[in-house]
Amino acid sequence: MQTWTKRDSMLRAMFTGDIKVLVDSEGWVLIDRSGKHFGTILNYLRDGCCPLPTGEPECMELFAEAQFFLVTELIEALSARVLQLKEAAVPICRVPIITSAEELERVMMQCPQPVIRFLYNRSNNKYSYTGSSEENLLKNMELFDKLALCFQGRVLFIKDVAGQDICT
């Protein structure tokens, strides 16, 4: 009981009589919440700190429980942790794959930033492919992907699988 009333929270209000509580026939107080994070909430109320989850989904689950139980300091700590996790997250790099000339034209017209187009045209057999050309293609693809990651947001990288050009 001392843990629950130590800090300002809903549990304190419940067990000091400030909020009416629901009690079952055997005298148990009913709280309509999952017990998954209740131990963490109690540890925080007891000690003033607790290990925060390392992943954003778990932080958000605990955040919801802290909000329900009105544990203001834990809410603030979790808000800061979620922000820290979002800032540390590696952004997703998206490289559009162009499948038609119309799609290429639309993308080029709508994009305000420079565009680098990787023409991946294996159907044009005008020039024969050798073992070294396959190796060069794979090296070029790897370089293209690395550049796309490095310059994402500043330059639009697109893969064109529909073009008939040999080189652009």
Side-chain angles (χ1 to χ4, degrees):
M1 184 72 91
Q2 195 174 21
T3 297
W4 298 355
T5 58
K6 192 174 187 178
R7 299 182 191 285
D8 192 25
S9 70
M10 179 185 283
L11 290 171
R12 179 181 186 180
M14 290 170 69
F15 291 99
T16 57
D18 292 343
I19 294 178
K20 186 177 178 184
V21 295
L22 183 61
V23 180
D24 72 3
S25 60
E26 296 178 14
W28 292 96
V29 174
L30 300 176
I31 302 173
D32 188 18
R33 301 301 287 181
S34 166
K36 180 177 179 181
H37 297 289
F38 191 68
T40 305
I41 298 287
L42 288 180
N43 286 339
Y44 190 86
L45 291 173
R46 179 183 309 109
D47 304 328
C49 63
C50 65
L52 298 179
T54 56
E56 188 178 345
E58 296 85 10
C59 275
M60 294 308 295
E61 288 176 8
L62 184 55
F63 181 82
E65 295 304 304
Q67 282 186 314
F68 177 81
F69 289 109
L70 302 174
V71 185
T72 308
E73 298 89 3
L74 183 56
I75 292 169
E76 291 168 0
L78 287 164
S79 294
R81 178 71 175 148
V82 168
L83 183 62
Q84 179 186 37
L85 289 171
K86 285 184 178 185
E87 288 175 354
V90 177
I92 296 173
C93 179
R94 291 189 166 84
V95 177
I97 297 178
I98 304 299
T99 58
S100 70
E102 296 81 24
E103 188 177 14
L104 175 63
E105 185 177 334
R106 184 173 38 86
V107 168
M108 298 288 281
M109 295 299 286
Q110 292 177 352
C111 185
Q113 60 208 104
V115 176
I116 295 180
R117 177 179 163 210
F118 182 77
L119 184 62
Y120 183 76
N121 184 355
R122 302 299 286 157
S123 63
N124 187 336
N125 287 327
K126 184 175 181 180
Y127 301 99
S128 64
Y129 293 102
T130 64
S132 63
S133 66
E134 287 289 325
E135 186 177 323
N136 288 336
L137 175 64
L138 292 174
K139 286 179 182 178
N140 286 334
M141 289 172 70
E142 182 179 1
L143 176 61
F144 181 85
D145 291 342
K146 285 180 181 178
L147 289 171
L149 281 171
C150 189
F151 292 100
Q152 68 181 354
R154 294 181 280 172
V155 176
L156 176 63
F157 289 81
I158 59 174
K159 290 184 179 178
D160 186 349
V161 296
Q164 294 302 311
D165 303 333
I166 296 299
C167 192
T168 60

